[in-house]
């Protein structure tokens, strides 16, 4: 009977260790991807991104996007920032933002999000090209 209890305890410890290690590593399995890499320069343009589970390729709905910034850092003008306004989603796992692209060039969209059931934060910087 004692051997059985020791074996059960060992299995419980291994399962706990596996679950703990997985929870910390899994947040790296998520990333934002641009739906369209280019937009027209101008006011009130929509940028759509998809949050994807890289292990399955499926879109992840119901994440809480809490950080967003849009600036021209890729072209060396990080001080050239613009307001980003969240917009309603048109499909699960897709997140849309409205912004003004004041000039043509490369704009960096910085996003942070919490995924339900995961520990940690998904953080990505995506480059959107604004064209004339």
């Amino acid at each position: 009977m004692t051997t059985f209890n020791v074996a059960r305890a060992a299995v419980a410890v291994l399962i706990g260790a596996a679950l703990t290690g997985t929870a910390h590593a899994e947040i790296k399995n998520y990333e934002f991807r641009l739906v369209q890499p280019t937009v027209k320069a101008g006011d009130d343009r929509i940028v759509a991104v998809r949050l994807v589970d890289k292990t399955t390729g499926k879109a992840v709905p119901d994440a809480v996007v809490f950080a967003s910034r849009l600036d021209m850092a890729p072209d060396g003008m990080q001080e050239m920032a613009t307001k980003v306004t969240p917009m309603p989603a048109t499909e699960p796992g897709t997140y849309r933002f409205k912004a003004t692209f004041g000039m043509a060039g490369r704009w960096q969209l910085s996003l942070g999000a919490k995924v339900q059931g995961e520990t940690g934060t998904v953080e990505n910087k995506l480059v959107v090209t604004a064209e004339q």
Side-chain angles (χ1 to χ4, degrees):
M1 189 81 166
T2 304
T3 305
F4 178 73
N5 287 339
V6 170
R8 259 178 61 184
V11 169
V13 168
L14 289 173
I15 290 172
L19 291 175
T20 302
T22 302
H24 293 297
E26 284 187 14
I27 201 68
K28 295 179 188 215
N29 290 337
Y30 299 95
E31 71 179 0
F32 284 103
R33 296 179 184 165
L34 289 168
V35 173
Q36 290 277 64
T38 60
V39 298
K40 290 281 187 191
D43 296 337
D44 297 334
R45 302 299 185 210
I46 301 294
V47 176
V49 297
R50 191 168 288 121
L51 182 58
V52 177
D53 180 339
K54 295 186 289 186
T55 60
T56 63
K58 293 183 179 181
V60 179
D62 303 322
V64 178
V65 179
F66 62 87
S68 59
R69 177 178 166 85
L70 185 63
D71 61 41
M72 290 194 78
D75 285 344
M77 296 184 281
Q78 55 272 13
E79 68 280 352
M80 181 85 165
T82 188
K83 182 180 175 186
V84 179
T85 305
M87 300 296 292
T90 55
E91 60 186 78
T94 300
Y95 303 87
R96 298 170 11 135
F97 305 93
K98 180 171 65 172
T100 296
F101 290 83
M103 61 187 292
R106 294 178 301 156
W107 292 77
Q108 179 173 276
L109 178 61
S110 302
L111 297 170
K114 293 286 186 184
V115 175
Q116 291 185 11
E118 298 294 344
T119 302
T121 302
V122 178
E123 295 182 29
N124 287 125
K125 295 178 187 242
L126 307 170
V127 177
V128 180
T129 302
E131 301 174 335
Q132 289 294 343

